[in-house]
Amino acid sequence: MLKKSKKTNAEPKVSTSPATMVDRTIIGDQIFIEGNIRGEEDLLIEGSVKGSIEMKAHHLTIGSKGKVQAEVHAANVTISGKLEGNINATGRVEITKAADFHGEIKSKSISVEDGAYLKAVIELEREPTQKAVPLGKPETKVSPEPKKEPFILAGKDSKGN
Amino acid sequence: MAAFATDLNQKDLNQHLGLEGYTSNALKLFMEHLDQQPQSRLLDVGPVCQENVRFFASRVSKHYVCDMFIRLDRYIRKGEPVSQIWKELDYHPESFDGILVWELADRLDEQDVNRLVTLCHSMLKPGGMAVVMVMGDQIASSETKSFVVGQNYRIYLRPQPHLDLPLRGRQNRDVLSMMVPFIPAKSFICRPGFMEFLFQRE
């Protein structure tokens, strides 16, 4: 069944402001949803969902009982259940050892526990490359000490490969 | 073929490999090859681990992961024929610039090794490379381990206690004969009996 939970990360007596309380919807393990889900709060799925899930600013959790077949767009995704589909996350994807995932992951960062059942294509967001300063053109700001190490682009070798 | 099941614990293993791990020359060459490929695609057959996903996904355009160790484990536990696992490697021919086979072959019988090698050969692009490890009888253990990649191509072995797989120890010459469709590009002796192989598809 659909439930509403509130997670508090401060003493409840002090404040109930949005900064200290996060809304989360739970899709219970007896619920089956087919269609598109859009949301503006965190979501925990313990039931079955088929379709698409869009919650670009929020956290999607697929619990250990959850079975999801969907295209997922979310800020962060945690998988402890079964997910078949593609994930596009602006933040982090966490795959626990209880997860069974099949699909593509595009995210900024990823964590995978040993034991996760995984068949995936993973594309991590790369650091933006910086434009090289043309030779002979002095920098506008004078640095007190010259740089000793040449600038090397992340993920590339000294030959630029 | 001789089968080894010398149960070394992690302490014994570290004594053989060094607590600090070892530097993998094969992996270094393998990554240099991938760095030269535009839109490089890599397949890792596992065991999947956090460090390797981060390392490889940040170095290649597309990092494919299909953990065949955990699949093999599940098939064995369910009593299903191991030969069925190969349907999991359903990638198109010539999909990858590199494949990390690690020590998967040591967990398979002769027939399945041949299937694995045939599939790897098919899935690799011409000129593509595969990394194969052989632990040898001195440090081989029935306990499955992941080859965890650290900084500067250092590799550490981490036990995977959730995996219960048979060990069919292979000698170096066995690896060379099983990988016949490939050109042996390089091999490195890391410790007595422990070798890394780099194979290339023509």
Side-chain angles (χ1 to χ4, degrees), chain B residues 22 24-34 42-46 56 69 97-105 116 120 124 128-134 147 149 153 155 175 178-179 182-183 185-188 190 194-201:
Chain B
Y22 73 98
S24 173
N25 292 310
L27 188 62
K28 190 176 178 205
L29 290 175
F30 181 75
M31 293 311 296
E32 284 173 2
H33 166 75
L34 290 182
L42 166 69
L43 172 65
D44 185 351
V45 300
F56 294 113
F69 286 83
D97 299 288
I99 300 177
L100 292 161
V101 181
W102 302 120
E103 55 129 9
L104 179 60
L116 170 68
C120 286
L124 271 177
M129 289 186 148
V131 172
V132 178
M133 305 290 196
V134 177
F147 291 79
V149 182
Y153 303 102
I155 286 186
V175 174
M178 83 184 188
M179 295 295 283
F182 293 89
I183 302 167
K186 283 274 183 185
S187 62
F188 300 95
C190 306
F194 181 17
M195 286 191 76
E196 299 181 325
F197 291 90
L198 200 56
F199 292 97
Q200 189 161 31
R201 182 180 165 177

Side-chain angles (χ1 to χ4, degrees), chain B residues 9-24:
Chain B
N9 59 31
Q10 189 61 30
K11 190 180 170 188
D12 296 330
L13 195 72
N14 285 334
Q15 282 175 351
H16 282 281
L17 292 179
L19 287 166
E20 72 287 359
Y22 73 98
T23 300
S24 173

Side-chain angles (χ1 to χ4, degrees), chain B residues 28-198:
Chain B
K28 190 176 178 205
L29 290 175
F30 181 75
M31 293 311 296
E32 284 173 2
H33 166 75
L34 290 182
D35 285 344
Q36 290 168 8
Q37 311 306 314
Q39 302 298 309
S40 54
R41 291 179 172 206
L42 166 69
L43 172 65
D44 185 351
V45 300
V48 172
C49 69
Q50 160 81 12
E51 296 88 343
N52 292 8
V53 167
R54 279 191 184 162
F55 178 85
F56 294 113
S58 64
R59 290 286 298 265
V60 299
S61 296
K62 287 197 173 186
H63 178 37
Y64 290 72
V65 174
C66 185
D67 194 327
M68 297 304 288
F69 286 83
I70 203 163
R71 281 168 170 76
L72 184 59
D73 181 77
R74 282 202 187 176
Y75 275 69
I76 291 170
R77 282 177 200 269
K78 287 180 184 174
E80 293 176 5
V82 169
S83 57
Q84 295 290 310
I85 64 169
W86 304 116
K87 66 185 179 193
E88 307 273 359
L89 289 177
D90 54 354
Y91 302 101
H92 293 296
E94 301 185 6
S95 290
F96 302 109
D97 299 288
I99 300 177
L100 292 161
V101 181
W102 302 120
E103 55 129 9
L104 179 60
D106 253 359
R107 306 291 167 175
L108 302 168
D109 66 20
E110 206 70 30
Q111 193 177 349
D112 285 309
V113 163
N114 291 336
R115 186 80 184 111
L116 170 68
V117 172
T118 304
L119 274 170
C120 286
H121 190 265
S122 163
M123 291 187 296
L124 271 177
K125 294 176 185 174
M129 289 186 148
V131 172
V132 178
M133 305 290 196
V134 177
M135 304 279 263
D137 54 341
Q138 287 188 34
I139 55 172
S141 163
S142 57
E143 187 175 46
T144 308
K145 294 171 185 66
S146 58
F147 291 79
V148 180
V149 182
Q151 284 191 325
N152 300 320
Y153 303 102
R154 293 204 67 81
I155 286 186
Y156 308 84
L157 299 184
R158 184 160 68 222
Q160 301 289 303
H162 58 280
L163 298 175
D164 185 14
L165 299 174
L167 176 71
R168 306 167 202 277
R170 288 191 162 79
Q171 306 285 3
N172 301 334
R173 60 180 178 276
D174 300 324
V175 174
L176 289 169
S177 62
M178 83 184 188
M179 295 295 283
V180 152
F182 293 89
I183 302 167
K186 283 274 183 185
S187 62
F188 300 95
I189 300 171
C190 306
R191 292 288 187 277
F194 181 17
M195 286 191 76
E196 299 181 325
F197 291 90
L198 200 56

